[in-house]
Amino acid sequence: MADAKVIPFDDDRSRGGAQRSARRRSAPRRAGDPAAVSEVKALPGQQDGQHEGQHDGQAGTERAREAGGAVPGQRGGGWDRRIAGGLSFLRRRLTGEYEVDDFGYDEELTDQVLMSLLRPFYEKYFRVEVKGIENIPADGGALIVANHSGTLPLDGLMMQVAVHDNHPHGRHLRLLAADLVFMLPVVNELARKAGHTLACAEDAERLLERGELVGVMPEGFKGIGKPFSERYKLQRFGRGGFVSTALRTGSPIVPCSIVGAEEIYPMIGNAKTLARVLGFPYFPITPTFPWLGPLGAVPLPTKWTIQFGEPIPTDGYPPEAAEDPMLMFNLTDQVREQIQHSLYKLLVQRRSVFF
């Protein structure tokens, strides 16, 4: 496998921009109309008025019925409704009657399939507890900045489920990922379908300007691949590229602290030579992997807590503030310190790693 190259999120240069644009333009489109590009519209907020809220609630109920799921406020959807919804879903997939945006995001597939596959891990295996969901805006763009850990990036996926299932408006989180994700077969397509995109300022800014929730983990491989002895100690946040993007779009920054992911794969060693041969940023050695083979790849069932902190507004700064290195440094440090403080506080409150 070719060496993986990590595109830093804070790199504002147009390196590879033409190639990325070409890849985005070649993303799957609606069947029967290859040239058409359909944008996935953001869900409206409460401030649009009571009438629109009622209309949105009725539309959501109809979508739930059509998909065969449970209608909000009612228990169960009934087997006949589930079967009908499943057949309707399969018909739309086979006939191409579904929409994706120009990043390749497939909202229907994410809601009906990908979220359903992740939800058992979220609810039953890691038993995720969510705090501070009210700090995520009801509508409009916002940048959620979280710590990164766990050897494999399961924390980002659990954060995506946490936002979608707990936010009153069921908002979708669009994660920024390193280009290694988009070099892996199968994983590449699934990441695009789930709404993820390259961790670069260009893509992040486009999503924020559309009013999307964007998630970023500035520690990158330094955080996810750190040894177990350094658990819950935040690594360097780069040069503040995520702050610059938030300033350009006037989007609030929501700090997010995740406790529990550090222990799912306690990394006690790193086979660096093997990592270079395989083209990976690191090759983890844990108490169970590679000694137990595939069984060693099963994560430990730790108890997770995801806490969203109070948003840090950026819309009060002038446009030229995005080019002020001192301001970016101060805001980056503020976000980092807020996340680190919340991590320590959650660790003190935690009764056990597993309960």
Side-chain angles (χ1 to χ4, degrees), residues 65-140:
R65 286 174 177 165
E66 183 181 1
V71 177
Q74 299 181 8
R75 290 184 177 271
W79 282 108
D80 54 346
R81 183 178 299 161
R82 291 176 183 272
I83 293 173
L87 292 175
S88 178
F89 173 78
L90 289 176
R91 179 187 60 80
R92 290 193 297 274
R93 307 311 296 187
L94 292 174
T95 59
E97 296 178 6
Y98 59 91
E99 298 178 348
V100 298
D101 69 4
D102 54 347
F103 287 90
Y105 173 47
D106 189 331
E107 182 177 4
E108 182 185 47
L109 182 68
T110 299
D111 286 346
Q112 301 301 323
V113 178
L114 301 182
M115 286 291 176
S116 299
L117 294 175
L118 293 173
R119 200 164 283 123
F121 293 94
Y122 174 88
E123 295 178 347
K124 305 298 182 183
Y125 199 78
F126 297 127
R127 294 147 291 147
V128 180
E129 178 184 359
V130 178
K131 299 180 179 181
I133 194 68
E134 67 278 0
N135 290 318
I136 298 178
D139 57 7

Side-chain angles (χ1 to χ4, degrees), residues 29-256:
R29 301 291 183 245
R30 183 166 179 162
D33 187 9
V37 175
S38 301
E39 303 288 344
V40 177
K41 297 182 179 179
L43 296 176
Q46 290 181 335
Q47 74 272 19
D48 293 334
Q50 182 178 2
H51 176 73
E52 292 188 7
Q54 294 174 351
H55 175 75
D56 295 335
Q58 294 172 358
T61 299
E62 292 301 324
R63 285 194 299 269
R65 286 174 177 165
E66 183 181 1
V71 177
Q74 299 181 8
R75 290 184 177 271
W79 282 108
D80 54 346
R81 183 178 299 161
R82 291 176 183 272
I83 293 173
L87 292 175
S88 178
F89 173 78
L90 289 176
R91 179 187 60 80
R92 290 193 297 274
R93 307 311 296 187
L94 292 174
T95 59
E97 296 178 6
Y98 59 91
E99 298 178 348
V100 298
D101 69 4
D102 54 347
F103 287 90
Y105 173 47
D106 189 331
E107 182 177 4
E108 182 185 47
L109 182 68
T110 299
D111 286 346
Q112 301 301 323
V113 178
L114 301 182
M115 286 291 176
S116 299
L117 294 175
L118 293 173
R119 200 164 283 123
F121 293 94
Y122 174 88
E123 295 178 347
K124 305 298 182 183
Y125 199 78
F126 297 127
R127 294 147 291 147
V128 180
E129 178 184 359
V130 178
K131 299 180 179 181
I133 194 68
E134 67 278 0
N135 290 318
I136 298 178
D139 57 7
L143 187 65
I144 298 180
V145 181
N147 59 303
H148 206 13
S149 63
T151 304
L152 291 181
L154 299 181
D155 50 358
L157 299 178
M158 294 301 104
M159 183 170 65
Q160 187 180 16
V161 180
V163 172
H164 180 267
D165 285 6
N166 291 274
H167 196 278
H169 296 271
R171 300 200 66 182
H172 293 85
L173 181 64
R174 310 288 292 271
L175 293 172
L176 303 176
D179 69 336
L180 176 61
V181 173
F182 302 100
M183 295 172 62
L184 300 174
V186 181
V187 175
N188 170 28
E189 290 298 323
L190 290 177
R192 288 290 184 187
K193 294 290 186 182
H196 311 328
T197 188
L198 285 172
C200 64
E202 179 192 20
D203 286 1
E205 190 169 337
R206 289 178 60 199
L207 289 171
L208 289 172
E209 288 175 345
R210 293 183 184 183
E212 300 278 3
L213 282 181
V214 178
V216 61
M217 295 173 165
E219 292 177 282
F221 291 129
K222 299 188 300 295
I224 198 175
K226 65 177 177 288
F228 188 67
S229 60
E230 298 181 12
R231 59 193 180 278
Y232 298 114
K233 296 179 181 178
L234 293 182
Q235 305 299 300
R236 184 173 174 267
F237 267 24
R239 293 171 292 176
F242 68 92
V243 171
S244 176
T245 301
L247 288 170
R248 287 193 184 96
T249 59
S251 304
I253 301 173
V254 181
C256 177

